[in-house]
Amino acid sequence: MWKRSGSLALGLLLAAGAAHAPAWAQTPAPAPLMADVFQDHAVLQRGGPVPVWGRAEPGATVSVTLGEHSAQATVGADGRWRANIAPPAAGGPYVLSARSGGQVQTLNDILIGDVWLCSGQSNMEFGLRQVTNAETEVANSADSDMRLLLVNRRSEARVDDGGLPAGSVWQASGPASTPNFGAACYFMGQELRRTQQVPIGLISASWGGSIIEDWLSEASLRQAGDYAETLDILSAYAASPETGTAHWNRISEQWWRANDPGLKETIPWSDARFDDSGWALARPEGFWETDGPAIGNYDGTGWYRTSIQLTRAQARGEAKISLGPVDDMDVVFVNGHRIGGMQGWDTPRDYVIPAGVLRPGRNVIAVGALDLGGGGGMWGPADAKKVELADGSTVSLAAPWRFQTSAALSSLPGPPRVPWIGGSGTTTLYNGMVAGIGPYALTGFAWYQGESNVNDPVGYSRLLASLIADWRARFETPNAAFLVVQLANFGPAWSEPHDSAWAELRDVQREVVEADPRAGIAVAIDIGDRYDIHPTNKREVGRRLSLEARRLAGDTTVARSPSPVRAVREGGRIRIDFAHVGTGLVTLSANDAIGFEVCDQDKTCRFTPGTVQGATVWLHAPQASFVRFCWGDSPVCNLYGPDNLPAVPFELPVR
């Protein structure tokens, strides 16, 4: 990948004699001058100075050349340097080189165009090979003027100065590079290539199931809310994993004992004396909604219990228990002693049972599981669940356990999260996957995330605004476009108005975007799948993102989703005015607009049809205090702009 100057003759001599040369003759190659985000085949941002940075000898001078443009920098005492260089005209290919003393690094096939960073959780990570018509899409994905950088997963307790995660490589778009690249990002780039007629660089840095807290910097997260204790634990863990783990274990146990009803019983459910004979049987594999006790769509805490018989020899000494993954958090007791607990829906649980906890005869194992959404409970192969004893014997835990639900998620306060676990921690994905890219020059960001934060819409409002400011600061682009995919429809549909955390989070996304003149929203309420949290129609998501990207670049001709301006009471009716309606609002498959609700002051709501007149919808509801549209996990709504873009779901007070 890297090209360096040096004696060609010496290089050939060393290569030819490497098999016979002594170890002291193997001179290591110098480290690259430029940071590893700069590679062959990269796209650099057009239109303004491009930061180029790296490491070299302190006090040395580094000269950077890009096409016919050049810049210089002096290396600081810490070995770091940075130069801002003017880019040539959009297009290419160009050569980017850096020279310091006798060392030269040369990069070839560099294009100048627009660069986007795409990030989020699984719906942004969702690869092209998984989409509708995937085989054809992948086969037709070759485009030498669209370049892709797939940032591999990396979670770090501190900001990583090592640059990109290993194996993260710039490549031209094509069947070899696109199958695992984020499809929504890819389709956005494909549309921008078609309409903007410049090279497009796409950087995809996503992690399925991740919470927004894990994508913010420490400084930003400290300002955004009450995260000081969590961040202090993370800092302690970075210095000493044992100290950090012990601190978190204390907080986790306090939360379980304070909030789980099963632990407040006279004889707690964790206690070996508790009688669980009335509980249902559940094989410890598969999610509890489907393959376990089949309890339906349940989020919250539930308990598994089983027992094993041990001889005196087996009970001696330290042992190890393996439970497989638990979705999402767990607390584990053996004979009433807490022996472990952690977080991460796909992380296998392996805990040490200290000497003295096991005893001859009956030993009771109790596992509390907290499911924060989607599938829950102990899953993975039942045969992998076991206890390994000090005498070398193993006891299987594959037989059915007893199971009982405890507390619904809606009744529980937010649980503490293990701050160093990638995807569900705090700052670790920013540290490992984002910080090393900034301040790479770019046009903007595309963000598809929120499913893992639906239980705290109010907190998400602060965090999303903080993330936007945080990333713009890291990349030194205060006016960078920030595109947000509003959450798609997923989950139950209801015949009556129903509270919905998904709807509340969508409204938060709308409000944050509307408050930021350089942000845009891609509405996806009509292209999800109520039965699958990962809808496969990512082409339309990408197209809608590209429309917002073009709008924020100054294109006044592109369509937008109609969005509400105000809801005003006029006599016995409510008038809702919309913006971005083109030639007027339209309804699909009905004369009336459906999906509207009118609500009183305490948010008791009822459905009501809407009558469309141009840019206005009229509702008959003289007493309403609030109006909602397209409100629910998977609502049915038919109000569109003339360009087949759905109106934005919302809740507004009636003035």
Side-chain angles (χ1 to χ4, degrees), residues 286-355:
F287 297 120
W288 60 31
E289 291 91 341
T290 53
D291 300 305
I295 58 177
N297 186 25
Y298 176 76
D299 299 326
T301 56
W303 283 82
Y304 297 83
R305 284 173 55 96
T306 193
S307 63
I308 57 175
Q309 293 287 331
L310 299 179
T311 66
R312 186 173 301 277
Q314 288 175 316
R316 290 195 185 102
E318 187 178 273
K320 174 186 172 184
I321 185 170
S322 298
L323 298 171
V326 182
D327 189 337
D328 291 276
M329 298 176 64
D330 66 285
V331 61
V332 180
F333 293 84
V334 176
N335 293 330
H337 298 272
R338 184 186 185 279
I339 57 100
M342 63 184 302
Q343 182 177 342
W345 71 275
D346 58 351
T347 305
R349 272 45 170 190
D350 295 303
Y351 300 123
V352 171
I353 303 175

Side-chain angles (χ1 to χ4, degrees), residues 495-498 562-564 566-567 574-578 585-587 591-599 605-613 615-621 626-632 635-640 647-652 654:
S495 59
E496 298 291 339
H498 202 278
S563 61
R566 65 186 68 85
I574 295 172
R575 188 189 80 234
I576 307 170
D577 297 325
F578 285 80
L585 296 167
V586 297
T587 57
N591 291 324
D592 292 329
I594 60 175
F596 281 92
E597 302 174 23
V598 288
C599 312
C605 305
R606 63 179 176 84
F607 290 128
T608 188
T611 301
V612 174
Q613 291 181 350
T616 299
V617 174
W618 294 91
L619 307 178
H620 290 275
F626 297 90
V627 61
R628 290 171 168 175
F629 171 68
C630 223
W631 196 266
V636 176
C637 28
N638 69 340
L639 186 65
Y640 281 72
V648 183
F650 65 87
E651 177 185 88
L652 287 180
V654 178

Side-chain angles (χ1 to χ4, degrees), residues 17 39 41 82 95 138 151 176 196 255 258 279 335 387 426 429 439 465 518 521 568 581 611 625 629 634 636 643:
Q39 305 174 13
H41 318 302
R82 170 176 165 173
V95 173
V138 170
V151 178
Q196 304 300 88
W255 184 90
W279 288 13
N335 293 330
V387 177
T426 49
L429 302 187
R518 294 294 300 161
I521 195 164
V568 180
V581 299
T611 301
S625 299
F629 171 68
S634 294
V636 176
D643 299 288

Side-chain angles (χ1 to χ4, degrees), residues 70-410:
S70 61
Q72 286 191 334
T74 300
V75 185
D78 59 357
R80 302 171 187 270
W81 63 269
R82 170 176 165 173
N84 293 333
I85 191 166
Y94 297 98
V95 173
L96 173 65
S97 65
R99 178 186 298 273
S100 182
Q103 185 180 356
V104 178
Q105 181 185 349
T106 301
L107 304 178
N108 294 297
D109 191 31
I110 303 297
L111 301 181
I112 306 298
D114 288 339
V115 181
W116 290 85
L117 171 58
C118 302
S119 187
Q121 57 183 108
S122 53
N123 272 307
M124 185 61 91
E125 191 177 39
F126 196 87
L128 191 63
R129 62 180 176 81
Q130 299 169 283
V131 302
T132 304
N133 204 26
E135 185 175 350
T136 300
E137 297 289 5
V138 170
N140 295 327
S141 62
D143 182 349
S144 61
D145 282 339
M146 187 159 79
R147 306 294 173 79
L148 314 176
L149 174 59
L150 179 59
V151 178
N152 289 330
R153 287 185 173 194
R154 184 175 64 189
S155 168
E156 297 287 347
R158 293 191 176 113
V159 170
D160 193 283
D161 289 332
L164 293 174
S168 305
V169 180
W170 278 103
Q171 301 179 76
S173 178
S177 61
T178 57
N180 293 315
F181 196 83
C185 185
Y186 166 82
F187 284 125
M188 178 188 75
Q190 188 182 64
E191 283 291 313
L192 292 175
R193 275 282 302 123
R194 182 180 64 83
T195 57
Q196 304 300 88
Q197 297 296 304
V198 297
I200 298 293
L202 302 174
I203 304 172
S204 179
S206 298
W207 188 302
S210 57
I211 58 175
I212 192 172
E213 291 93 330
D214 219 0
W215 293 103
L216 283 142
S217 69
E218 178 183 351
S220 184
L221 198 57
R222 285 189 183 276
Q223 294 176 0
D226 186 18
Y227 295 97
E229 184 177 48
T230 300
L231 291 167
D232 289 345
I233 294 173
L234 181 65
S235 180
Y237 178 85
S240 166
E242 294 77 12
T243 301
T245 300
H247 192 174
W248 186 84
N249 281 339
R250 287 193 295 272
I251 292 174
S252 174
E253 184 168 5
Q254 289 171 3
W255 184 90
W256 279 95
R257 293 194 181 280
N259 296 293
D260 189 88
L263 293 178
K264 296 181 180 181
E265 297 281 348
T266 303
I267 301 178
W269 292 1
S270 59
D271 197 297
R273 298 169 298 162
F274 179 79
D275 180 8
D276 57 27
S277 59
W279 288 13
L281 289 174
R283 188 166 169 80
E285 62 180 1
F287 297 120
W288 60 31
E289 291 91 341
T290 53
D291 300 305
I295 58 177
N297 186 25
Y298 176 76
D299 299 326
T301 56
W303 283 82
Y304 297 83
R305 284 173 55 96
T306 193
S307 63
I308 57 175
Q309 293 287 331
L310 299 179
T311 66
R312 186 173 301 277
Q314 288 175 316
R316 290 195 185 102
E318 187 178 273
K320 174 186 172 184
I321 185 170
S322 298
L323 298 171
V326 182
D327 189 337
D328 291 276
M329 298 176 64
D330 66 285
V331 61
V332 180
F333 293 84
V334 176
N335 293 330
H337 298 272
R338 184 186 185 279
I339 57 100
M342 63 184 302
Q343 182 177 342
W345 71 275
D346 58 351
T347 305
R349 272 45 170 190
D350 295 303
Y351 300 123
V352 171
I353 303 175
V357 172
L358 296 175
R359 58 198 180 203
R362 183 172 180 261
N363 292 262
V364 176
I365 302 166
V367 178
L370 170 61
D371 175 29
L372 300 173
M378 295 171 62
W379 62 284
D383 292 343
K385 296 171 173 61
K386 58 189 176 182
V387 177
E388 298 173 74
L389 301 162
D391 71 348
S393 63
T394 298
V395 178
S396 173
L397 301 177
W401 295 43
R402 294 286 183 176
F403 176 81
Q404 177 64 48
T405 59
S406 182
L409 186 63
S410 59

